[in-house]
């Protein structure tokens, strides 16, 4: 991240240097507009200031460097006044303020005899700053957020062309009178703009470039020659294709032909040097920075209207329906189960809202994804980006293989992850291969964490089933569900009570019921069914694998231990078990977990089998002194210890669940 910021700062400094050198009639106020735009866009204002001052020192007299520098320092101070921070979003007001500030300072310098300039020139400088501040800000936001808008929005295209022309105008002609710079930058800019953005934007840039080069060279032929080169090069590319290599060769060939037969002025020694160096950089530049903005990426490609998308929605509706049927079967015969029409309505409402939350994808990203998939002979029909209820991204791509062998969906996942700048993973409902027919690849944002889970269960009596039960599974949106239940007593009856408790809660959560509502419904059901004569404890942990936050729910459950290095936290509960009385309170707490944290959930039988007086402190000290880090080893060590201290005579069925949180690479 620091390296990226350093390169961004260097780039901004270079741009500011060039803008500051854009001098006309011994004044160069455009750097003020550029500095304002950099400040308002949140970029590196220090780099902009330093680059701007260095550029001014090479063009205008020192008094103007002081004048412009004073304006930039004052502007930076104004933007950091807390009372005026709210004006950051008011670009027009700030641009007018900045232009007025420059005019006032200029007139003040004239009044005290530090500068010689007429009043009209001072006002003109202010007007230029007002206009360029708005234009440059729009251009920087376009480049920063989605430069694909250059091909779709006239305002974005014009602002970026103006900024580009300003920068090119201020590029030094040579470096140390040896390296040809301005002409090389101009040719490289033409290559990139025409190749990436197509004919329209390319021709506009060719005209701007030709005008600037003819101005500096004092030769009108430059203007016509460069436009002609752009037109012929684009025409050859459209007819014969050839990718970046072909386009580069077309440009070099056309340049040489136009120079040989029509405009020899462009074949000067500096012109040849510039052509060779610009073409060399263009052909060797990283591929991801040279992807074309495909013209066939239309708006109708970026929506969720395919047959495969319809199949996905139907599957989700069917899953929701099956979940309700399972709940009805599990809670059959109990009118007081607590599930009302309002609960079901809320679930369906949330479900439909989640399906509809499509968000626009940057055209630069969608273009890069489609272009990279095309290199693997994968044709994209639909591309959709969805932000779910937890503000996490999902990508749906309807695609097929154009020719050749089948491609694994993991290849699509890798390309999308790279171009979106975030790790993605295949969803369970996704196709696993790209075949000859259009099928849907479903991706979701990969969680930041993963967890290892180990479980050990012991029966009080050797030949009898344990009355404890557990569940480890996944909920939607990257949540891990871990539950431990301890049915009253031992044997099959207790095991059945525990199993039904966990199955009921799992089915309710899967159907979309809220956690607290699910627990309340099941408690009501058990209380009415068993009349308070039988009950089960509930120990439930829901871990958000994206954030590391977890919520622990306890109803009559034993203490949970959270280990972080040599520190251990005990999470206790005093609530009644599930099914004792209707309306029993389930205690819960929210915790932030970190990489390497270990969570130990135990049933009552583990603590009861410790014969010492302070059972929790004994287990706490044991966990602190354990050198094992793997959940399997920790669970085995706890089982070995309770067998040892109890003389292998357990007081109750005993279960241990050990969870370790790991940060994904």
């Amino acid at each position: 991240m620091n390296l990226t910021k350093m390169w961004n700062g260097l780039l901004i400094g270079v741009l500011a240097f060039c803008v500051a050198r854009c001098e006309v009639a011994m004044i160069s106020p455009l750097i003020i507009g550029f500095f304002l735009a950099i400040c308002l866009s949140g970029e590196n204002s220090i780099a902009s200031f330093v680059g701007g001052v260095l550029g001014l020192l090479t063009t205008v007299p020192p008094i103007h460097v002081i004048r412009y520098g004073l304006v930039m320092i004052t502007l930076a101070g104004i933007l950091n006044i807390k009372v005026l921070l709210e004006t950051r979003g008011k670009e027009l007001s700030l641009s007018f303020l900045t232009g007025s500030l420059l005019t006032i300072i200029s007139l003040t310098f004239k009044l005290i005899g530090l500068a010689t300039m007429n009043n009209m020139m001072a006002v003109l400088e202010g007007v230029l700053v007002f206009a360029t501040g708005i234009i440059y800000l729009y251009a920087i936001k376009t480049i920063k957020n989605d430069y694909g808008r250059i091909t779709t929005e006239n305002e974005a295209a014009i602002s970026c062309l103006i900024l580009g022309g300003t920068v090119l105008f201020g590029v030094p002609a040579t470096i140390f009178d040896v390296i040809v710079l301005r002409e090389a930058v101009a040719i490289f800019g033409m290559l990139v703009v025409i190749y990436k953005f197509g004919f329209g934007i390319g021709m506009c840039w060719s005209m701007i470039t030709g005008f600037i080069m003819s101005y500096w060279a004092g030769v009108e032929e430059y203007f016509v020659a460069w436009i002609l080169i752009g037109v012929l090069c684009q025409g050859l590319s459209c007819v014969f294709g050839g990718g970046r290599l072909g386009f580069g060769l077309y440009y070099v060939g056309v340049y040489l032909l136009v120079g040989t037969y029509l405009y020899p002025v462009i074949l000067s020694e500096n012109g040849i040097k510039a052509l060779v160096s610009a073409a060399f950089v263009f052909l060797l530049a990283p591929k991801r920075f040279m992807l074309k903005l495909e013209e066939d990426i239309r708006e109708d490609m970026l929506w969720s209207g395919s047959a495969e998308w319809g199949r996905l929605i139907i599957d989700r509706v069917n899953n929701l329906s099956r979940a309700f049927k399972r709940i009805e079967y599990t809670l059959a015969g109990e009118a007081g189960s607590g599930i009302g029409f309002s609960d079901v309505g809320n679930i369906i409402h949330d479900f439909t809202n989640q399906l509809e939350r499509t968000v626009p994808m940057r055209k630069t990203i969608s273009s890069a994804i489609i272009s990279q998939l095309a290199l693997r002979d994968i044709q994209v029909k639909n591309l959709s980006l969805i932000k779910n209820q937890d503000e996490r991204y999902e990508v749906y791509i309807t695609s097929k293989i154009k020719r050749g062998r089948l491609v694994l969906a993991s290849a699509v996942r890798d390309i999308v992850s790279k171009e979106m700048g975030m790790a993605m993973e295949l969803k369970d409902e996704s196709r696993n291969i790209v075949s000859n027919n259009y099928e849907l690849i479903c991706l979701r944002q990969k969680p930041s964490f993963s967890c290892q889970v180990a479980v050990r269960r012991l029966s009080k009596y050797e030949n009898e089933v344990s009355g404890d039960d557990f569940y480890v599974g996944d909920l939607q949106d990257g949540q891990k569900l871990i539950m431990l239940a301890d049915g009253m007593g031992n044997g099959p009856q207790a095991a059945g009570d525990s199993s039904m408790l966990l199955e009921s809660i799992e089915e309710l959560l899967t159907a979309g019921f809220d956690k607290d509502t699910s627990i309340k419904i099941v408690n009501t059901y058990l209380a009415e069914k068993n009349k308070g004569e039988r009950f089960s404890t509930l120990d439930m942990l829901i871990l958000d694998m994206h954030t590391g936050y977890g919520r622990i729910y306890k109803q009559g459950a034993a203490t949970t231990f959270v280990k972080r290095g040599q520190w251990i936290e005990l999470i206790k509960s005093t609530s009644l078990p599930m099914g004792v009385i209707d309306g029993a309170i389930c205690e819960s707490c929210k915790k932030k977990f970190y990489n390497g944290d270990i969570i130990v959930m135990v049933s009552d039988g583990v603590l009861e089998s410790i014969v010492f007086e302070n059972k929790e402190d004994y287990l706490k000290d044991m966990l602190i002194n354990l050198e094992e880090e793997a959940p399997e080893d920790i669970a085995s060590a706890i089982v070995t210890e309770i067998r040892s201290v109890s003389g292998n005579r357990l007081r109750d069925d005993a279960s241990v669940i050990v969870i370790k949180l790991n940060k994904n690479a």
Side-chain angles (χ1 to χ4, degrees), residues 225-257:
W226 283 42
I227 294 177
L228 182 60
I229 291 170
V231 171
L232 293 176
C233 182
Q234 183 68 33
L236 289 173
S237 179
C238 292
V239 174
F240 299 105
R244 181 162 41 145
L245 176 60
F247 185 81
L249 294 176
Y250 298 150
Y251 190 93
V252 172
V254 169
Y255 189 98
L256 295 175
L257 288 173

Side-chain angles (χ1 to χ4, degrees), residues 2 142 184 317 327 355 410 414 490 502 575:
N2 291 333
T142 299
V317 172
I327 294 168
L355 290 177
S410 57
D414 294 341
N490 314 100
L502 299 185
S575 58

Side-chain angles (χ1 to χ4, degrees), residues 356-414:
E356 294 171 355
R357 294 193 64 192
T358 56
V359 294
M361 179 183 287
R362 293 183 188 177
K363 190 173 182 182
T364 48
I365 295 177
S366 61
S367 175
I369 291 173
I370 293 173
S371 298
Q372 290 294 330
L373 291 176
L375 294 176
R376 292 177 174 263
D377 289 324
I378 298 175
Q379 181 176 338
V380 176
K381 180 181 180 182
N382 299 107
L383 176 61
S384 299
L385 178 65
I386 287 181
K387 184 182 286 187
N388 64 29
Q389 291 174 318
D390 294 314
E391 303 298 313
R392 290 162 194 148
Y393 290 102
E394 298 176 2
V395 177
Y396 296 87
I397 303 175
T398 305
S399 60
K400 71 174 182 178
I401 196 77
K402 289 189 287 188
R403 57 182 174 273
R405 57 188 177 85
L406 304 182
V407 177
L408 292 176
S410 57
V412 178
R413 174 203 63 199
D414 294 341

Side-chain angles (χ1 to χ4, degrees), residues 133-183:
I134 298 296
I135 293 171
Y136 291 160
L137 177 61
Y138 199 93
I140 291 170
K141 285 184 176 181
T142 299
I143 297 170
K144 179 180 177 181
N145 297 326
D146 185 3
Y147 63 80
R149 289 161 48 199
I150 294 173
T151 61
T152 59
E153 296 182 14
N154 292 333
E155 294 85 352
I158 293 171
S159 62
C160 289
L161 289 171
I162 292 174
L163 176 59
T166 306
V167 172
L168 179 60
F169 192 88
V171 173
T174 60
I175 300 178
F176 306 121
D177 294 326
V178 176
I179 301 175
V180 179
L181 186 60
R182 181 185 296 135
E183 200 162 348

